[in-house]
Each structure stands twice: as C-alpha cells, then as structure tokens.
Amino acid sequence: MRSWEEDPLLRAEHLTMRFGGLTAVDDVSFAVGRHDITALIGPNGAGKTTVFNCITGFYKPTEGMIELRQPDGQIFRLEQLDDHDINARARVARTFQNIRLFQGMTVLENLMVAQHNVLMRASGLTVGAILGLGGFRQAEKDAVDFARYWLDRVNLTARADEPAGELPYGDQRRLEIARAMCTRPLLLCLDEPAAGLNARESDALNELLYSIRKQDDIAILLIEHDMSVVMRISDHVVVLDYGRLIADGTTAEARNDPRVIAAYLGVPDEELPVVEREVGL
Amino acid sequence: MAEPGTSFGQRLGPALLDSLLAAIIAFALFSLLLGLRMVDKVTGLTLQPRPVLLAVAVGIVFCGRLLLNLFVWHAEYPLTAPFAKLFTRAPFERRDLIVLGATLLVATLMFLFSLVIIDSAAFELVAASVFIFLGIGLVRRIIVQFFPDLPYGRIFTVGGIAFAVLFPICAYLLEKTFRLGLPLRYLLDLSILVLTYVMLGWGLNVVVGLAGLLDLGYVAFYAVGAYTFALLATHFGLGFWICLPIAGAAAALWGIILGFPVLRLRGDYLAIVTLAFGEIVRIVLLNWTEVTNGPNGVSGIPKPTFFGLPFAPSGDGTFSSFFGLKYDPLQGIIFLYYVILALAFITNLVTLKLRRLPIGRAWEALREDQIACRSLGINTTITKLTAFAIGAMFGGLAGSFFATRQGFISPESFTFIESAIILAIVVLGGMGSQLGVAIAAIVMVGGFEALRHTEGLQSIFGEGFDPALYRMLLFGIAMVGIMVWRPRGIIGSRSPSIVLDEARPIGGGLVREGRA
C-alpha cells in the first residue's frame, strides 16, 4: 500500500471536463497523500491546469467527483463548493501560472488579504471593529505576526512595505506561495512554481517546498515542467497526456514508464507499432 | 523624428515637416468650424467666408507646433524644464535661471507696455498669469529649500480642515463687524455646493476608487436619499435628523438590490447596467405621479433644526431667540454649511477607517485581482455588495441633505450629468485618494463657477463675449490637460493600509484602476 492510497487527503474519481466538443480531461482518477508532494506532469496541453482549476473550483467538472478529507474526518466534495469556499472551508490554497499578486498593494498587505476570513470574523463583520469592540486589535497583531513568520520563511521581511509589483520575478513567486500559506491550507496547489526561475532560485524553491511538507506537514500538489524539481522533491507523480492518466506512481516508476517516455520524447517511427502495442493503443 | 543631441539645422527639417502636417490637420478641422459662417440676410441664409480668421488659427497651430518641436520636444535642453524644476527639489543651473529671468523680464515689459501705451487687458492677463505662476513656484521652492523635512501633506490637510471649519464663522463675524460688502451669501451657497460634491465624490470613491467597480448611475442613490427624506417629511412630518439615517439606509438597501443581479458583470458591462439603473430611477420618479408628484417635484421640504431650534425670523423657541441674537437668514445657511461639512467628514473618516479594516483591504484586493481574491477564500459577491451598499449609503445621506437645502426637489436634479460629474471628480482626483477627490471637487465645481466671472476675457474678445457660454469648452480643455499631464489623477499614488516598518507611497503606475 502506498502512502497516497493509505491516507489520501484528496481523491479525484473519474474526473472529466469537456469544453464544447473538446475533452480536456478524460476520466482521470488519482489520490493525493496527506504528507506527500505530488507532482502533476505531462506535455503541453495535457490537461494539467484544467485538473487544477477543477480542484480549486475555477471550473466545475463535467463528470466525476473530488473529495477532500479533513483531519477530523469531515469530507468536502469540492465540485459542489463555491470557489471561495474551497479555500475558506475545505482549505485548499493555490498559486497561478502567471503570478496573480495584488501588485499595487504592499507585500504585507498581500499577506493580510490572505487572512481576510480570520480577520473579518475578529472584526465582528466590520461593525465591531468600527465600534471598537472585541479583540480585533489583537487579531490584527496576530495576523501581522503570522505574515511576518511567512515573510521570514520566504526571505522577504526586508521588503515587507514595498509594493508587490516592484519585486523581482523570483520574489513574486515566493510571495505568492507565502500568501497561499497565510490562508492556513491543508493542500497547497502550485501551478508551475519554478517557471522562469534561475537555477539558484529553483534550488531555494525546492527547499521551501520541502520545508512546507516537512515542517508544516502540508500536502503539496504541483504542476511542473522542470523535471529537476519534480524528480528531486516529489513523492508521487501523476502523468497526464491528452487529458488521460498515463502513469501514477513514484518518481522512479514514472521515469521508467515507457508510456511516459513516449509522451515526452516521442518514439522513432519504426518502433511505433511496438510501443503502441505495449501501451495498449 | 530627430533625436536629441542633433544640431539645430538637422532638427529644423523634420520639425518643419511635422508642423506643416499639424497645420494641414488644423486647416481641415478649422475650415468649416472657423472658415465659414452662416449669416442671416434679407435674401436668406448665406455663407460668409472668414479667410483671415482661418489663416490666423492655422498660423497659430503651425508656429506653436514649430516652437514646441524645436525648443521643447526634441531639444537637447527643453525650454519648459526650468519651470518644471520650480516644482521639484532639483538644483538650478545657470541656464535655468536665465530662462526664468528672461520670462519674468518679458512679462514685466508686457505689463509696462500695456500700462503705459496700449492698455490691453490681454497683455495684462498674460503677464499676471506669468507672475502668479512664477510666484507660486518661487515661494514653494523657497519654503522647501529652508524647511526640507516638514510634513507638507499633513500641514496641507490640517490647514484645509481648519480653513473649512473656520471660514464661515470668520467671514460672518468680519462682515458683521466691518461691513466689507462680501458676497457672503453667494460664497456660502457655493461652499455648500462644493462640499456636497466632495461628499458625493468620497462616497463614490468607495465603489470606484477602492473596489474598482465602475458605477455610472451613482446619482440614483442620491435621488433615493433625497426622495426618501422629502416624502417622509412632507407626508409624515418627520424632521431632517430622524430621516437622515432612514434615507441612508434606504439608499444602501437600493445599493444591495441593484448589486445582487449586476455584480456578476464585469467592467464595461457593469458600467452600462448601472447607467441604466440611474435612468430607471429617474424615470420612475418622473412617472410615478401619485407618490412622487412626477415632474412637478416635491416642495415644502423642511430645513434642519439646531437641536430642535428652527431658524425662523420670528416666534418662540427659534435659534435666534434662544441665543438672544438678532435674526439673520445667514445663520441658517451657516448651519447648513456645518451640517454638510460634518456629513462629509463622517464620510471621510468612515472610509479611512474601513480602508484599514479587512473589508477595505478586500475591496482594494478586489480592484487589483478578482480571481486571486477568490483563490484566497474571499467571497467576492458579498465584498462587492458591501462596497456598493456603503457607497450608496453616503450618496443617500448627501441626497437627503440636498433635499433639505433646496427645499424642493424634482427628477430634473438627478440626471446622468450628475453621475458623470461625480465620476469625473473621482477619476480626476486620483482613484482611491481622499485628498485628491476633495481637490478635484473644489476645482471642478468651484472652478466651473469661477468661470462665470471671467470678465478679464471679455476685454480680450470684445464686449459681446459671454464667458459663461465658453465654460464647458474651458472645462473640457482643463480636463484633457489633467489627463495628459497626470493620467492617474491629481493624486495618483496610494498609501499602504498597514505597515511593518515604514510607510512608503505606492506609485500610481502599479495600482490597478479596476475592471472587476
């Protein structure tokens, strides 16, 4: 029994997403382990981001279900929740392929917005805070401290009061992860976190993701093209091609799977019939 | 086009060509606008050509463009640089001083020439403008030079507030003591009008500036507030102070009612629907005669009382008899001034407070990126609705003040142009900036009014010139100017709502204008 089958945090069953006549995701089932880093890989157009958008509520899947089990045993069906509830209640956070920071707001403000729901409750839905009731001041202080903690983790404390849009690209990537972490998620979904990073930044990212899994014990699901990142930090690899699941296993298994190799590298013409027979096409 | 650094001769050719093109365009535009005039003669309508006027206009365009091309746009040392430098802290060079000195000298000569020889108001006007411009720049420069570290923003704000609070009382006392003959009544009425627009601007700023929702029908909430108070007062005899919160609540309710169906729309579509909503409200007010009295409006709306004391010329328990003062109609107007000042302040303080609370931060985040907001668990629908409701509430409060001040309201006061003016105030002021909106309201409403009194222009353009007719034109030119030189509004930067170490303003280029 493998870790993600033993104690799955998230289970996608028969997930299908059609856009008109195009089937972007076709009957995909996989699980994400509670303590794992799971990589979702595949060639361009394989449907990775579509799966992501289904999980995080930006698309409603045409068929199938996505189940997220909380530590207390409560189960959320993500395909039935509103997108903001997927973060607020089911505690799934995400980042975006093309970074979506609040560019005109400072780094600290970005992290404060991420704690909106906690602060909103503490402010008595604003009314209490205006009247000066309740522990809003304390809650705000705690929120700033939590933000500062994550700023330290991603090494951005010195730039806390700068507008997010002025940060260098690598810092923006890390800030987006910190912002997602400030929503206190159970599952962190990262859409190509290493895209556009240089080797050094990529290493730092690996370390950050590793520490999020180890230290904070938060499951990570990531889409990635950079195989060095995938192979080094993932526990579990799910491979899609043309919307279909072609492999699901450890990194070593994925690396040696002929179908994965075929999908990524293609095969010489003369070997095509052999490979097709092997992969069952 | 020639690059800076090339010689004058090399630049002359392209500059001439460019100016010629501009002149051709000007000719095409002006040939019908200025070149021909319809004259009503006994024989019927005839076209009278005006070649001289046309030639002068095209000549002005050609020469102006040529001068700009040669000495400003592509020049190594733009002649406008020293004037811009006056408003920075950059050190002056020798040639800057020469240019400034020369300008001053020319202006002085023009002034003297006019004074001694030809007595031309045009010359004097130009000279006076130069003196005023240079004077302001120099005074500012000298202050900054000697006190570089004063908190100018704060001094400006506190000074503005102090002036707003003290102005009517001081002016009233001065007038009563010295009989200066100030047009006090007119000044107060104008100030009240300006403050009403300041309040409306601040209210709309919540929706447009903070939450980034383009609302073209803000006047609807103004109308709801005004009619709520007017109808409650005339039908049930309720007073202003009781109706004020009711009017605010009613407007907020309508904000939510409008918000629910339309907030799923984005950007331009939302703007169109809000525009339609504004019209619907006006047309309902116009046609629902049984309730609103239709186009005849509602009259006899009571004035606010001072803790129960009315401002009336005679009788017991009036403001003047209670305090043992001689009755003066100005007392009531000064009181109205303070009412709208207080309402505007409340709007401002509440907005500033909300900006520092999670709800305000969520509004701004919504303006920046709606999708990111949803990924962070923020319910965008509710967040937008609160912005709409709060903005509408302030609109309603302002509307109910408008009703009590006018004593009479009709649907005519709530046309689209009002929405457009309020939106223009917010955009020109710099979206999200409270101070910018206040300045823009003063400039837009006060400046518009000031253009009534441009008698100086009459002496330039002849006796038949009525400046009031050209107000819209001048106004439009001013707006284009602001949008060219300050595209993010008068105050385009944003100050952070929470700070770890040190507050630094955020440049306008980064802040989104909101297409949510």
Side-chain angles (χ1 to χ4, degrees):
Chain A
M1 209 56 169
R2 309 202 248 190
S3 60
W4 56 90
E5 287 161 355
E6 226 164 71
D7 183 12
L9 171 65
L10 177 114
R11 252 171 3 105
E13 300 271 349
H14 306 291
L15 195 62
T16 301
M17 183 76 210
R18 291 194 198 95
F19 298 102
L22 177 81
T23 308
V25 177
D26 190 3
D27 195 23
V28 169
S29 304
F30 64 92
V32 174
R34 198 173 290 280
H35 312 287
D36 292 342
I37 294 183
T38 307
L40 191 59
I41 65 171
N44 285 328
K48 306 180 297 288
T49 300
T50 310
V51 169
F52 237 60
N53 283 338
C54 288
I55 292 172
T56 51
F58 284 82
Y59 295 154
K60 292 280 162 247
T62 324
E63 284 167 30
M65 63 154 216
I66 308 164
E67 200 179 78
L68 190 122
R69 199 140 48 88
Q70 305 282 316
D72 62 8
Q74 196 188 359
I75 289 175
F76 286 105
R77 293 281 294 275
L78 298 188
E79 79 275 11
Q80 293 168 358
L81 285 180
D82 281 338
D83 48 11
H84 57 87
D85 276 339
I86 287 181
N87 181 280
R89 293 177 54 207
R91 295 171 63 198
V92 176
R94 75 169 291 179
T95 66
F96 296 87
Q97 201 171 339
N98 44 348
I99 306 171
R100 282 183 173 273
L101 288 170
F102 305 122
Q103 305 216 342
M105 303 174 85
T106 65
V107 170
L108 179 63
E109 282 180 306
N110 268 274
L111 300 188
M112 295 298 281
V113 171
Q115 302 177 62
H116 175 78
N117 288 316
V118 178
L119 286 170
M120 201 65 187
R121 273 192 295 279
S123 73
L125 301 177
T126 306
V127 181
I130 284 191
L131 300 176
L133 303 173
F136 177 68
R137 218 170 264 270
Q138 185 57 40
E140 192 176 41
K141 228 173 121 257
D142 293 345
V144 172
D145 286 342
F146 192 58
R148 196 201 292 264
Y149 167 75
W150 274 104
L151 286 175
D152 285 339
R153 286 282 293 275
V154 299
N155 222 348
L156 282 174
T157 316
R159 317 193 75 154
D161 294 322
E162 286 178 35
E166 273 179 9
L167 296 184
Y169 189 80
D171 288 354
Q172 294 199 11
R173 282 255 174 239
R174 291 208 309 283
L175 176 59
E176 209 190 12
I177 294 175
R179 188 181 68 178
M181 289 307 296
C182 275
T183 65
R184 296 167 207 262
L186 291 171
L187 174 65
L188 177 65
C189 299
L190 306 172
D191 197 345
E192 300 201 23
L197 299 187
N198 62 34
R200 200 161 45 83
E201 289 170 327
S202 189
D203 280 345
L205 177 81
N206 281 352
E207 232 156 82
L208 174 66
L209 297 186
Y210 213 69
S211 78
I212 287 175
R213 193 197 71 161
K214 278 278 172 231
Q215 204 175 318
D216 307 89
D217 197 19
I218 285 165
I220 297 177
L221 175 65
L222 63 113
I223 292 179
E224 192 48 73
H225 275 300
D226 185 343
M227 282 304 143
S228 71
V229 174
V230 172
M231 293 305 164
R232 248 187 300 162
I233 64 171
S234 316
D235 304 294
H236 173 195
V237 179
V238 176
V239 191
L240 297 183
D241 191 22
Y242 292 111
R244 264 183 280 176
L245 186 82
I246 58 170
D248 182 357
T250 62
T251 44
E253 287 165 3
R255 205 189 331 227
N256 299 322
D257 191 312
R259 286 193 290 185
V260 177
I261 295 167
Y264 266 91
L265 301 178
V267 287
D269 283 346
E270 59 269 27
E271 287 178 27
L272 197 60
V274 188
V275 176
E276 281 185 344
R277 212 175 317 117
E278 271 178 20
V279 303
L281 279 173
Chain B
M1 209 39 66
E3 290 304 311
T6 48
S7 80
F8 187 81
Q10 276 172 305
R11 285 188 282 122
L12 188 60
L16 275 172
L17 189 69
D18 179 69
S19 311
L20 199 65
L21 276 175
I24 291 171
I25 294 171
F27 178 77
L29 280 173
F30 291 149
S31 56
L32 292 176
L33 289 173
L34 296 177
L36 295 172
R37 185 197 175 98
M38 192 85 81
V39 187
D40 194 4
K41 287 187 182 161
V42 190
T43 49
L45 285 174
T46 48
L47 281 177
Q48 178 196 20
R50 297 193 288 184
V52 178
L53 185 65
L54 182 61
V56 168
V58 173
I60 288 174
V61 170
F62 179 77
C63 295
R65 184 93 184 177
L66 189 63
L67 290 177
L68 283 173
N69 267 325
L70 287 178
F71 297 110
V72 180
W73 288 337
H74 301 288
E76 191 188 351
Y77 173 69
L79 280 184
T80 46
F83 300 101
K85 246 184 197 177
L86 265 182
F87 292 89
T88 63
R89 295 184 181 198
F92 282 115
E93 292 167 45
R94 193 195 179 90
R95 54 185 182 180
D96 296 332
L97 296 175
I98 293 174
V99 171
L100 290 176
T103 316
L104 200 60
L105 188 67
V106 169
T108 316
L109 286 178
M110 272 174 85
F111 189 67
L112 290 177
F113 183 67
S114 160
L115 216 60
V116 180
I117 305 174
I118 57 167
D119 192 26
S120 149
F123 273 43
E124 283 164 25
L125 197 72
V126 171
S129 317
V130 172
F131 289 147
I132 290 172
F133 180 79
L134 286 180
I136 292 174
L138 279 177
V139 168
R140 186 201 157 274
R141 190 61 200 240
I142 288 166
I143 295 175
V144 169
Q145 206 80 46
F146 285 102
F147 309 100
D149 298 323
L150 287 181
Y152 289 103
R154 179 159 297 174
I155 290 176
F156 195 72
T157 313
V158 171
I161 293 170
F163 177 77
V165 171
L166 294 177
F167 153 69
I169 284 291
C170 290
Y172 181 74
L173 291 178
L174 279 175
E175 175 67 26
K176 288 292 143 192
T177 331
F178 299 109
R179 309 222 160 268
L180 299 169
L182 290 171
L184 201 50
R185 166 97 209 223
Y186 171 73
L187 282 178
L188 281 173
D189 275 338
L190 181 59
S191 318
I192 291 172
L193 188 69
V194 168
L195 281 173
T196 314
Y197 279 96
V198 170
M199 178 172 177
L200 286 167
W202 279 339
L204 185 62
N205 201 16
V206 172
V207 185
V208 180
L210 294 184
L213 303 164
L214 189 51
D215 182 355
L216 290 179
Y218 192 60
V219 77
F221 307 121
Y222 190 43
V224 167
Y227 268 87
T228 307
F229 168 53
L231 295 176
L232 284 175
T234 49
H235 286 294
F236 304 105
L238 295 177
F240 174 72
W241 294 110
I242 294 175
C243 292
L244 190 66
I246 302 176
L253 182 70
W254 277 101
I256 292 171
I257 291 173
L258 165 68
F260 256 119
V262 307
L263 284 180
R264 61 181 68 242
L265 302 173
R266 294 168 143 255
D268 310 345
Y269 302 100
L270 177 69
I272 292 169
V273 177
T274 52
L275 174 70
F277 180 73
E279 285 304 289
I280 290 170
V281 167
R282 190 178 63 84
I283 289 168
V284 166
L285 292 176
L286 203 57
N287 289 289
W288 196 8
T289 328
E290 303 84 62
V291 177
T292 64
N293 203 18
N296 297 327
V298 183
S299 55
I301 305 166
K303 296 273 180 234
T305 58
F306 182 80
F307 296 103
L309 301 172
F311 292 86
S314 58
D316 276 342
T318 65
F319 177 78
S320 40
S321 71
F322 187 84
F323 289 99
L325 300 167
K326 202 164 140 282
Y327 173 74
D328 186 331
L330 278 178
Q331 289 159 356
I333 295 172
I334 290 177
F335 179 61
L336 279 176
Y337 175 91
Y338 281 114
V339 170
I340 185 64
L341 187 65
L343 285 174
F345 268 138
I346 290 170
T347 311
N348 186 28
L349 291 179
V350 170
T351 312
L352 287 180
K353 177 80 187 165
L354 287 176
R355 256 202 82 202
R356 282 169 174 72
L357 289 179
I359 184 74
R361 235 172 264 137
W363 289 339
E364 292 201 77
L366 203 64
R367 176 193 66 203
E368 298 285 321
D369 194 326
Q370 210 181 139
I371 290 178
C373 276
R374 298 212 306 256
S375 84
L376 297 174
I378 296 173
N379 186 335
T380 49
T381 312
I382 288 184
T383 308
K384 284 182 192 176
L385 275 182
T386 52
F388 243 74
I390 301 266
M393 183 186 79
F394 291 134
L397 295 179
S400 122
F401 173 81
F402 175 77
T404 193
R405 179 179 96 105
Q406 300 290 92
F408 164 78
I409 52 169
S410 74
E412 249 173 60
S413 309
F414 308 106
T415 49
F416 170 67
I417 190 74
E418 293 294 320
S419 293
I421 289 176
I422 303 164
L423 187 66
I425 286 174
V426 174
V427 173
L428 289 183
M431 297 204 293
S433 161
Q434 298 291 93
L435 181 60
V437 167
I439 295 173
I442 293 168
V443 172
M444 293 267 299
V445 182
F448 202 60
E449 194 58 34
L451 286 176
R452 275 188 205 281
H453 309 286
T454 41
E455 285 85 8
L457 294 174
Q458 223 152 29
S459 44
I460 301 173
F461 295 105
E463 275 309 305
F465 179 77
D466 179 7
L469 290 178
Y470 292 85
R471 285 200 303 164
M472 274 297 193
L473 183 69
L474 290 173
F475 189 59
I477 292 173
M479 274 176 76
V480 170
I482 289 184
M483 285 292 107
V484 168
W485 287 301
R486 302 209 70 123
R488 313 288 308 197
I490 296 170
I491 296 183
S493 64
R494 165 181 183 273
S495 57
S497 65
I498 189 164
V499 173
L500 205 58
D501 297 316
E502 182 199 357
R504 276 164 285 193
I506 298 168
L510 287 168
V511 182
R512 295 277 173 92
E513 277 153 356
R515 286 285 172 270

